[in-house]
Amino acid sequence: MQSASADSTTVCGVDEAGRGPLAGPVYAACVVLNPNHVIDGLADSKQLSEKQRDALTIEIKQHAVAWAIASATVEEIDRLNILQASLLAMQRAVQSLALTPGRVLIDGKHSPALNCEVQTIVNGDRLIPAISAASILAKTARDAEMLRLHQLYPQYGFDRHKGYPTKAHFAALQQHGSCDIHRQSFAPVKNINLNR
């Protein structure tokens, strides 16, 4: 997290990563960009290569006025549902920011409870640079966590699919069943466990 002071005009972009996977936490990030340092290449993280995301992550962290990353656990996902867990991760990210933003721009239709002005923007990660930056930080942070978890559960191939529902992931689930970081409330995981 980078610290800074700001006034009520400060705009913060927020996005999440990891709503779709069958395993691992969901991440969220928020970014206040520096208007005096334009970062070229910001886009929806899903439209960028891993190499591009990694390079942009370094630049965002170096030059943003402020940024923060937070997550919600698999247990919270299963207890609350994935939407509410995503909103919780967003709330945690904004609340851990080193400043209080005047306005928060959030990708999508839903927003967490925050003590500031909030605006939701569908496709905001493609339209708003601060949200694009947040999507990149959330994605790279989650990918790094899934690589760490791969070391604990190498049989599932999390280093390749990051927990998303790929053929290889389903095959591993069929062979090994689920593990502690699988989202037990998600139907594909639940169904595989029931049929084993």
Side-chain angles (χ1 to χ4, degrees), residues 101-165:
R103 188 157 60 107
V104 174
L105 306 179
I106 296 179
D107 182 54
K109 299 178 181 178
H110 305 280
S111 67
L114 296 169
N115 293 322
C116 57
E117 180 186 344
V118 175
Q119 181 181 354
T120 57
I121 302 171
V122 175
N123 295 324
D125 50 4
R126 301 178 193 174
L127 303 170
I128 308 295
I131 298 179
S132 299
S135 79
I136 292 165
L137 291 193
K139 171 67 174 166
T140 54
R142 186 180 188 281
D143 283 358
E145 174 64 4
M146 294 309 295
L147 289 176
R148 187 189 73 81
L149 291 170
H150 172 70
Q151 302 303 313
L152 300 176
Y153 307 98
Q155 67 271 33
Y156 295 99
F158 292 133
D159 59 329
R160 298 188 302 277
H161 53 66
K162 308 299 190 294
Y164 281 88

Side-chain angles (χ1 to χ4, degrees), residues 57-127:
T57 291
I58 293 169
E59 190 170 1
I60 293 163
K61 289 181 176 180
Q62 285 179 341
H63 297 290
V65 172
W67 58 270
I69 301 169
S71 64
T73 65
V74 170
E75 291 77 14
E76 288 170 327
I77 292 168
D78 285 338
R79 177 165 50 85
L80 300 172
N81 75 44
I82 185 59
L83 172 59
Q84 294 305 316
S86 299
L87 297 178
L88 178 61
M90 290 181 179
Q91 183 184 60
R92 287 172 174 164
V94 174
Q95 289 176 344
S96 64
L97 201 62
L99 55 82
T100 300
R103 188 157 60 107
V104 174
L105 306 179
I106 296 179
D107 182 54
K109 299 178 181 178
H110 305 280
S111 67
L114 296 169
N115 293 322
C116 57
E117 180 186 344
V118 175
Q119 181 181 354
T120 57
I121 302 171
V122 175
N123 295 324
D125 50 4
R126 301 178 193 174
L127 303 170

